[in-house]
Amino acid sequence: MPTESPLLRPYRDGSLSLPNRVAMAPMTRGRADDDTGVPHPLTSLYYAQRASAGLIVTEGIWPVRTGKSTPGVPGIATAEQVAAWREVTTAVHAAGGRVFAQLWHAGRVSHPSLIGEQTVAPSAVRAEGRVYVKGGWTGTTTPRALSTAELERLVEDFATAARNAIDAGFDGVEIHGANGYLLHEFLADNTNLRTDRYREKIRYPLEVTEAVVAAVGADRVGYRISPGNPENDLVEKDWPALYRELLGEFTRLGLAYLHVVGTDEKVFPEVRPHWPGLLVGNLHQGPPSGREDAERLLEAGLADVIAFGRLFIGNPDLPARFATGAPLVQVDKQLHYGSALKGYVDFPAVTTTRWPSPVPA
Ligand SMILES: Cc1cc2nc3c(=O)[nH]c(=O)nc-3n(C[C@H](O)[C@H](O)[C@H](O)COP(=O)(O)O)c2cc1C
């Protein structure tokens, strides 16, 4: 039996103690109330069903409304949102899990119809491509550049969102600095054309991280990067040098973990020597990342924990399935996003059941 898998070994070091190395990657599911940004009442069940993950990172959550990317993305700015997240963390903890909230500002990858105003970014540069709005895909729009003062206020908004997350019972927050959204846009050559102090590419992501660390403590802060990932029309010419610099600062701050999205596997050997702490690796190369590649990364010491995204949608008891060799469900893409409840909490565990299993029709 494959029980000796390195994925099933506990991780104990630094501030986090995890029962296995199978993390749930952050995944937007679009089920929150689109007007209020309050998570759906079933969101607590959805995450509790997945509480056997070594660590859950929630879907991206906006700290301020301009950071919202697609319909049904939740926020963590209002009292009502915080109260709903408290139900989620209570349910996950009752089921034995650990959960970090992902703080996500989408930057230019949004649309005025979603946020009620022009989109915002480091510079007024439109992304090639399309964005998803209510009713389907549409063309991107040109964002406006945030002023220095606005960016300073947004640093505070991130810190407030982190405090709200801790108030809501989260074990920590993950700052979303990957995949072409606001913080990543500061790192890229084609999206950061600023002339103020933020022209120094790592400066803004670093100021946000420092403020979040000051608000909730470094041992409750993770950061997600995707070096060299061209998603959402980003160009990073010399990413190894840039990320070395950024990781030097994160090392100084002593963050709880670094989450690395590898659209190219070469990213991991490049990053690992510059990050001494817990490294959560996530392969993002087309089809859902699988077990063999994950085990290879762990055995090579290139990551300490592996995050799985899509496999966690259809297999809420993923670690136990890895342990027992139970078959894995692949989920139809159509069910990933959307306000419909089909595909949300209706994938049963086939192994142990540690939570109630009421499922709505
Ligand atoms: C439906 C869906 C939603 C996603 N939403 C987010 C998100 O909110 N934040 C984020 O950092 N990544 C997000 N991602 C990327 C995943 O975290 C992950 O990097 C990607 O799915 C690759 O891992 P996998 O092959 O295990 O699915 C999302 C991916 C999917 C499929």
Side-chain angles (χ1 to χ4, degrees):
M1 277 319 258
T3 39
E4 294 103 67
S5 168
L7 284 163
L8 300 170
R9 289 184 204 138
Y11 177 87
R12 283 196 194 94
D13 198 16
S15 57
L16 279 176
S17 192
L18 314 176
N20 59 60
R21 279 103 186 307
V22 183
M24 179 177 172
M27 275 182 298
T28 293
R29 303 298 313 276
R31 265 77 177 178
D33 185 297
D34 196 46
D35 295 323
T36 63
V38 173
H40 193 278
L42 284 171
T43 301
S44 38
L45 175 61
Y46 167 70
Y47 283 114
Q49 287 174 333
R50 288 155 182 81
S52 63
L55 176 68
I56 294 173
V57 184
T58 68
E59 63 214 274
I61 307 174
W62 45 263
V64 287
R65 199 166 193 94
T66 52
K68 178 179 169 183
S69 180
T70 47
V73 173
I76 193 151
T78 69
E80 204 189 351
Q81 291 162 356
V82 172
W85 284 119
R86 195 171 293 119
E87 286 181 23
V88 173
T89 62
T90 302
V92 170
H93 291 151
R98 294 136 300 279
V99 57
F100 272 49
Q102 192 188 53
L103 302 183
W104 176 31
H105 193 301
R108 66 181 185 163
V109 188
S110 179
H111 192 269
S113 66
L114 291 165
I115 61 174
E117 59 182 277
Q118 190 176 2
T119 57
V120 296
S123 304
V125 181
R126 191 175 65 83
E128 285 297 327
R130 297 181 308 159
V131 285
Y132 195 78
V133 296
K134 256 185 166 168
W137 292 95
T138 190
T140 52
T141 54
T142 303
R144 87 184 160 78
L146 286 160
S147 71
T148 310
E150 283 177 309
L151 284 168
E152 287 165 352
R153 269 200 299 281
L154 187 54
V155 166
E156 288 315 309
D157 293 329
F158 268 100
T160 301
R163 266 186 231 104
N164 288 348
I166 299 304
D167 184 30
F170 282 104
D171 299 294
V173 296
E174 174 176 293
I175 300 171
H176 191 350
N179 302 349
Y181 301 105
L182 185 79
L183 298 180
H184 199 183
E185 288 160 13
F186 279 89
L187 296 177
D189 299 287
N190 61 328
T191 45
N192 183 348
L193 312 178
R194 296 190 70 89
T195 52
D196 62 1
R197 69 177 187 275
Y198 299 126
R199 70 183 179 280
E200 187 200 338
K201 293 195 177 86
I202 69 164
R203 180 109 188 203
Y204 195 66
L206 188 58
E207 282 187 22
V208 167
T209 309
E210 283 173 337
V212 170
V213 164
V216 301
D219 57 349
R220 295 200 279 203
V221 180
Y223 195 101
R224 191 173 220 217
I225 59 173
S226 60
N229 178 5
E231 198 170 326
N232 288 316
D233 189 27
L234 285 205
V235 180
E236 286 178 295
K237 287 192 201 119
D238 185 17
W239 65 258
L242 188 68
Y243 282 86
R244 265 201 300 281
E245 203 188 334
L246 188 65
L247 297 189
E249 299 291 347
F250 288 170
T251 303
R252 171 180 65 78
L253 289 173
L255 300 189
Y257 68 85
L258 179 73
H259 193 165
V260 182
V261 181
T263 39
D264 182 328
E265 242 183 278
K266 288 192 211 112
V267 164
F268 296 102
E270 193 67 53
V271 165
R272 174 89 261 193
H274 306 290
W275 175 250
L278 166 55
L279 195 151
V280 180
N282 174 234
L283 282 162
H284 191 1
Q285 300 183 308
S289 52
R291 174 183 184 146
E292 281 79 30
D293 287 341
E295 290 178 340
R296 201 162 33 75
L297 278 183
L298 290 180
E299 297 289 18
L302 292 173
D304 303 303
V305 167
I306 302 293
F308 294 87
R310 286 162 287 180
L311 278 187
F312 255 113
I313 296 181
N315 307 279
D317 51 346
L318 189 60
R321 292 202 200 202
F322 285 152
T324 59
L328 296 176
V329 170
Q330 303 287 342
V331 171
D332 183 347
K333 236 165 96 169
Q334 299 297 325
L335 298 176
H336 284 177
Y337 305 99
S339 53
L341 286 182
K342 187 167 158 48
Y344 196 41
V345 293
D346 43 4
F347 292 104
V350 296
T351 50
T352 51
T353 347
R354 293 195 294 151
W355 48 81
S357 46
V359 172

